[in-house]
Amino acid sequence: MRRLLLILTASITAFAAFAQSVGLVLSGGGAKGIAHIGVIQALEDNDIPIDYVAGTSMGAIVGGLYASGFTPEEMLELLLSKDFADWSTGVINENLVYYFDKKPPTPSMVKLNLVQDDSVKVKVDLLPSSLINPLPMNFAFLELFAPFTAQCGGNFDRLFVPYRCVASDVFNKRKVVLGSGGLGEAIRASMSFPIVFKPQYINGYPIFDGGIYDNFPVDVMRTTFAPEFVLGVDVSSGSSKIDMNSLVDQVETMIIQDENVEIPDSVGIKMVLNLSEFGLLDFPKARSIYKIGYDRTIAVMDSIKARVQRRMPRRSRMLAREVFKSRTPKVIFDSVSVSGAKTPRQNEFLKNLFIRSNHDTLNIEQSKIAYYRAITSGKLKDFVPHAEYKSSDNMFTLGLDAKVRDNTSIGVGGWLTSSTNSMMFMSLNYNTLSYHSFDGSLNGWVGQSYYAALMQARVAFNFNRPTELQLQAVTSKQKFYESDMLFYNDELPTFIINYDNFVRLNFGVAIGRKSKLSVGVGYGYLRDRFYQSNVVDFSDVSQDEASYKLWQARAVFERSSLNHDMYPTSGSFLRLTAIGVTGKSVYAPAEPAMAQSGYRTDETWIQGELQWDKYLNIHKYFSLGFRVDAVASTRKLAGNYTAMLVQSPAFMPTPATRNYFNPAFRSDSYIAGGVVPIWKIMDNLQFRSEFYAFIPSRQILEGADHAPYRGKWFDHVSYMGEASIIYNFNFASLSIYGNYLSYPARNCNFGISFGLLFNAPRFLR
């Protein structure tokens, strides 16, 4: 069968050599270039041959995929896939994140790298080298194009369709025509739009988007392949409105050349597609753009057929594709090398992530898992993989060029809200990359109702099963007000002040790629100040005080694949916590008349917690989330109702509810849960609704002289609901919300928040 395919392909090729040849030229234009796929589909549907293809930028991507044997259907499917959406926008797929190495989220919105240059002067590296994180795209292009580079031996004339793409050498102020080398590198260079993407380095020079010097490479087609008929498709012309609020549109206007290249009638036909209603990044509208390209080509098909007498029947084209694909080698790596890191030791460490298994070879999926583990920690600025094919044994060598971030950085961020919970955040971080990597940080929160400092140090050991040793020291102060106000009112008295001070030593171990188990011991000094009632003369009454000196043993299992730390729409999260506590507590009432109600107590209890979140993608524009929280504790009731309630776990499922002190949603043992319907209006914009119920196992109630007692089993239910419109920026989130809580009666709150809300760790949670 294979021999028959080869004979038929040779016959087709021989026939083509004596027939009229057709060259297809595809312009750049961002997402508007998806129309090129519709053009190709229309040509194939009408048996018009495509013998050569040349393109720039998006035209280079479509042309390169077609030259690699992709059908129009396969190309459109790729551009509509989540994978393409992720790597074209720099998003790291959470399913590929190595959870053990993922840093805990903080409120940091801006990261300033402190760079030490050759003159030993420290400078601040504030701006990123590109708007789009290059790391996901690096591996995607290897995966897509490495097999075809190997098949053609680095000669683009030997692809399914001979191919050229155009890029720009801005250093020498000239265009570069790429027809050999790595196919992925060539296409990546042609589409490296300045500021948006990092440039590709070819022969030591940074190479950018081809549209800077030649956005419609008709002359490249004519001088390189000299086809008898040229069909040019220009998607960049037209009266596109420039959005001066868009950095991408501004840069495009300044640098992309609008040369208005014509194709003489004696040479071929130029098709100009009016796509002015679409922007450079309108990839979600791919089907609409595709249809315009298809319909426009069908409209001029009679003219094309009149000029091109030769036909390529569908069956013949399919046969040629099958033969081409049958010759494409499978990517299997039998050796790995890493270069470019700051030290040879770092190169060896990164290499070890790829070769730590007992297998002699790596397939593409195994390599992807190792690659994403290497970048999960955030310590690499860039990590560029290259595949070199060895025809002698049909194997590949994987080479990786690493760029390691500087060790020291400063993080700045916070949470600005119309409630009383605004805060600023700053962190100083020191991170190393090695077999025994060290991560140290000093974090501080300063706000209207929250103050905290966190010092932590972590040493990660690159054993067969990755492990870590972590030390945490935390001091925090949380104020709760009588009620949540829309704006800060410094005349409103403080109702409760909670101090949480502790040190904890943790030992952690990775459980697969998505899970982590940690065990630890700690000592905490906790202190609470509060009024027994908010109906008092605050100027004349002091606060009662409860303090705790506690030892703790703790075990936590976590598993996560959520796509966002604050407002997820897909993935799942599971945390199981077991805590054993022993120590002493002291309660001291402020009023001398109540001195007899003070106490000193030995404390010993066991506490278990469960948090489970799951988000299902019901539709492209709709997700449905579920949440279950449960706490079970053997803790005995304290001698004072408020002292007991302040230290009881609270159910606060949304950022807006974290600064409420609501007795109806606190208990030492409870089960809570709810549903989270989400309408994904557009990229990064969602309408989120959340509905929860809270059921304490036995509600803590207040008796005579503020003594606590327990209610009946599961006889009380509290409710809360929240609706919000959320826009997730790359660095923060903006939320406009309104919520309702069943206690106290008619408890409605509205507000607006911006930033990131992640507090310091708590001792008893």
Side-chain angles (χ1 to χ4, degrees):
M1 180 65 182
R2 181 180 175 87
R3 181 179 178 83
L4 177 60
L5 290 175
L6 293 175
I7 293 172
L8 289 172
T9 303
S11 301
I12 294 168
T13 304
F15 174 74
F18 293 100
Q20 189 179 33
S21 58
V22 177
L24 180 63
V25 179
L26 307 175
S27 78
K32 293 180 283 187
I34 297 170
H36 295 319
I37 303 176
V39 173
I40 293 172
Q41 183 68 71
L43 295 174
E44 289 200 349
D45 286 350
N46 286 272
D47 296 336
I48 302 298
I50 301 173
D51 300 294
Y52 311 104
V53 62
T56 295
S57 195
M58 191 62 191
I61 297 177
V62 173
L65 290 170
Y66 188 73
S68 299
F70 281 69
T71 65
E73 295 91 340
E74 290 170 339
M75 287 189 279
L76 189 60
E77 181 181 358
L78 172 65
L79 296 183
L80 286 169
S81 69
K82 184 182 183 303
D83 286 340
F84 177 84
D86 285 344
W87 53 258
S88 65
T89 55
V91 173
I92 296 178
N93 187 334
E94 278 295 326
N95 291 320
L96 296 171
V97 167
Y98 194 76
Y99 188 66
F100 178 82
D101 288 332
K102 183 179 179 181
K103 293 182 178 180
T106 71
S108 179
M109 293 186 284
V110 177
K111 187 175 181 180
L112 311 175
N113 294 306
L114 301 183
V115 182
Q116 189 172 10
D117 61 19
D118 295 336
S119 62
V120 200
K121 293 181 180 179
V122 175
K123 61 180 181 180
V124 175
D125 182 15
L126 175 59
L127 296 176
S129 56
S130 61
L131 295 179
I132 301 297
N133 177 7
L135 294 169
M137 190 178 294
N138 289 347
F139 199 90
F141 270 64
L142 174 84
E143 187 175 7
L144 278 173
F145 296 111
F148 306 111
T149 299
Q151 181 177 358
C152 73
N155 181 354
F156 300 171
D157 288 343
R158 295 171 54 189
L159 291 167
F160 174 65
V161 174
Y163 168 74
R164 293 292 185 274
C165 67
V166 175
S168 298
D169 178 356
V170 296
F171 187 85
N172 293 300
K173 303 295 187 296
R174 63 185 178 89
K175 73 178 180 184
V176 178
V177 179
L178 300 169
S180 62
L183 180 59
E185 286 84 349
I187 296 173
R188 182 84 177 271
S190 182
M191 58 156 285
S192 292
F193 196 78
I195 298 178
V196 179
F197 299 108
K198 290 187 68 174
Q200 290 291 291
Y201 280 82
I202 298 178
N203 297 325
Y205 292 103
I207 306 299
F208 284 95
D209 192 291
I212 298 175
Y213 296 121
D214 188 356
N215 199 44
F216 192 37
V218 174
D219 65 327
V220 173
M221 173 61 70
R222 297 184 65 187
T223 57
T224 304
F225 298 118
E228 296 170 87
F229 176 80
V230 174
L231 177 61
V233 185
D234 185 357
V235 300
S236 64
S237 300
S239 56
S240 296
K241 294 182 179 178
I242 301 170
D243 182 2
M244 295 312 294
N245 293 318
S246 168
L247 179 60
V248 175
D249 281 4
Q250 292 180 52
V251 174
E252 181 196 25
T253 303
M254 288 187 289
I255 68 173
I256 299 300
Q257 300 296 314
D258 186 11
E259 299 173 295
N260 195 26
V261 177
E262 296 297 333
I263 300 177
D265 291 340
S266 60
V267 173
I269 295 175
K270 177 182 179 180
M271 292 173 50
V272 178
L273 305 185
N274 185 358
L275 297 161
S276 58
E277 63 185 289
F278 302 102
L280 284 173
L281 303 178
D282 275 340
F283 290 100
K285 301 176 182 178
R287 292 198 182 278
S288 298
I289 299 171
Y290 165 90
K291 188 175 186 302
I292 290 173
Y294 185 89
D295 292 345
R296 173 62 177 152
T297 308
I298 293 298
V300 300
M301 188 55 65
D302 289 343
S303 298
I304 296 173
K305 287 183 175 181
R307 300 287 299 275
V308 180
Q309 301 299 315
R310 175 172 146 245
R311 298 290 178 266
M312 171 66 79
R314 175 181 175 83
R315 184 172 181 80
S316 298
R317 183 182 287 110
M318 289 176 57
L319 183 60
R321 272 203 183 96
E322 289 175 8
V323 172
F324 176 80
K325 291 181 178 180
S326 70
R327 295 173 178 169
T328 306
K330 187 176 181 180
V331 178
I332 302 292
F333 300 108
D334 65 355
S335 61
V336 179
S337 65
V338 180
S339 62
K342 294 179 179 179
T343 67
R345 186 73 169 165
Q346 289 181 336
N347 289 331
E348 285 297 319
F349 166 71
L350 292 170
K351 176 181 176 180
N352 181 260
L353 298 179
F354 289 82
I355 63 174
R356 60 187 304 123
S357 68
N358 295 323
H359 301 290
D360 294 330
T361 60
L362 288 168
N363 61 31
I364 198 72
E365 284 302 317
Q366 292 167 328
S367 303
K368 181 189 292 187
I369 289 171
Y371 177 86
Y372 275 88
R373 180 184 171 188
I375 68 174
T376 292
S377 67
K379 297 177 182 180
L380 294 176
K381 286 191 293 187
D382 209 352
F383 202 34
V384 183
H386 306 279
E388 181 180 345
Y389 181 61
K390 298 174 294 181
S391 58
S392 58
D393 58 3
N394 293 325
M395 292 288 182
F396 289 77
T397 295
L398 177 60
L400 298 120
D401 184 22
K403 295 292 183 291
V404 182
R405 293 188 185 278
D406 293 277
N407 293 342
T408 308
S409 64
I410 296 174
V412 179
W415 180 250
L416 302 177
T417 177
S418 53
S419 74
T420 57
N421 202 31
S422 294
M423 65 187 74
M424 299 300 293
F425 172 82
M426 179 172 287
S427 66
L428 176 64
N429 310 286
Y430 184 82
N431 306 290
T432 67
L433 181 69
S434 69
Y435 282 96
H436 304 309
S437 298
F438 174 80
D439 300 308
S441 65
L442 181 61
N443 308 282
W445 291 257
V446 178
Q448 296 166 297
S449 59
Y450 184 77
Y451 309 84
L454 164 65
M455 183 192 73
Q456 55 186 2
R458 172 184 183 263
V459 179
F461 303 96
N462 190 41
F463 300 146
N464 287 334
R465 186 178 293 277
T467 58
E468 68 178 7
L469 195 62
Q470 182 188 58
L471 177 66
Q472 289 182 326
V474 176
T475 178
S476 67
K477 176 183 177 182
Q478 173 79 61
K479 297 180 181 179
F480 293 101
Y481 291 91
E482 177 185 356
S483 62
D484 189 44
M485 306 293 288
L486 282 179
F487 297 97
Y488 179 59
N489 183 349
D490 58 9
E491 296 180 356
L492 187 67
T494 299
F495 181 48
I496 292 168
I497 304 176
N498 171 254
Y499 299 87
D500 205 340
N501 309 285
F502 67 89
V503 293
R504 185 157 55 205
L505 182 66
N506 293 317
F507 175 80
V509 60
I511 308 294
R513 291 192 301 114
K514 305 306 300 177
S515 304
K516 173 182 176 179
L517 174 66
S518 64
V519 295
V521 294
Y523 174 79
Y525 175 62
L526 317 181
R527 189 161 60 98
D528 302 317
R529 298 175 61 192
F530 48 84
Y531 296 104
Q532 294 292 343
S533 170
N534 60 1
V535 187
V536 295
D537 182 355
F538 293 104
S539 64
D540 190 49
V541 179
S542 299
Q543 291 176 300
D544 294 358
E545 183 173 305
S547 61
Y548 307 83
K549 296 179 180 180
L550 304 173
W551 291 93
Q552 174 193 91
R554 179 174 176 263
V556 181
F557 173 83
E558 289 184 343
R559 180 179 180 85
S560 178
S561 60
L562 296 179
N563 66 338
H564 195 273
D565 290 319
M566 281 187 61
Y567 301 110
T569 59
S570 66
S572 63
F573 176 81
L574 173 66
R575 177 189 287 135
L576 299 170
T577 307
I579 304 176
V581 180
T582 186
K584 296 181 180 297
S585 65
V586 177
Y587 167 64
E591 297 182 48
M594 299 295 295
Q596 72 279 3
S597 64
Y599 58 80
R600 295 175 181 268
T601 306
D602 291 333
E603 299 273 7
T604 299
W605 75 89
I606 298 173
Q607 181 173 302
E609 298 186 40
L610 161 70
Q611 180 183 335
W612 177 73
D613 298 85
K614 178 70 175 180
Y615 292 86
L616 303 175
N617 288 313
I618 305 299
H619 184 268
K620 179 180 179 181
Y621 297 107
F622 184 77
S623 292
L624 182 62
F626 301 90
R627 178 165 187 163
V628 175
D629 276 21
V631 177
S633 174
T634 63
R635 188 174 187 179
K636 296 179 180 179
L637 288 177
N640 182 271
Y641 167 76
T642 307
M644 183 69 189
L645 206 63
V646 170
Q647 280 298 325
S648 294
F651 180 61
M652 300 178 288
T654 70
T657 57
R658 291 181 197 171
N659 62 315
Y660 302 162
F661 185 88
N662 194 320
F665 294 89
R666 284 178 172 262
S667 181
D668 55 349
S669 297
Y670 68 81
I671 184 168
V675 295
V676 187
I678 304 168
W679 175 28
K680 295 178 285 188
I681 303 171
M682 56 182 290
D683 285 349
N684 300 326
L685 181 65
Q686 59 177 271
F687 176 78
R688 191 180 188 92
S689 51
E690 306 182 50
F691 306 95
Y692 299 104
F694 175 89
I695 309 174
S697 59
R698 297 180 67 187
Q699 188 181 13
I700 301 173
L701 301 171
E702 185 175 15
D705 297 326
H706 309 303
Y709 70 95
R710 297 191 185 276
K712 296 180 180 180
W713 288 94
F714 302 108
D715 72 335
H716 184 81
V717 183
S718 298
Y719 303 96
M720 71 169 67
E722 183 169 297
S724 54
I725 297 176
I726 298 161
Y727 188 86
N728 290 318
F729 298 91
N730 290 334
F731 58 93
S733 297
L734 175 66
S735 171
I736 301 173
Y737 66 88
N739 58 40
Y740 172 81
L741 288 76
S742 59
Y743 177 88
R746 300 180 296 278
N747 186 2
C748 293
N749 303 276
F750 302 91
I752 182 170
S753 300
F754 175 77
L756 299 170
L757 181 60
F758 299 103
N759 291 346
R762 302 277 297 179
F763 185 62
L764 294 178
R765 294 304 302 266

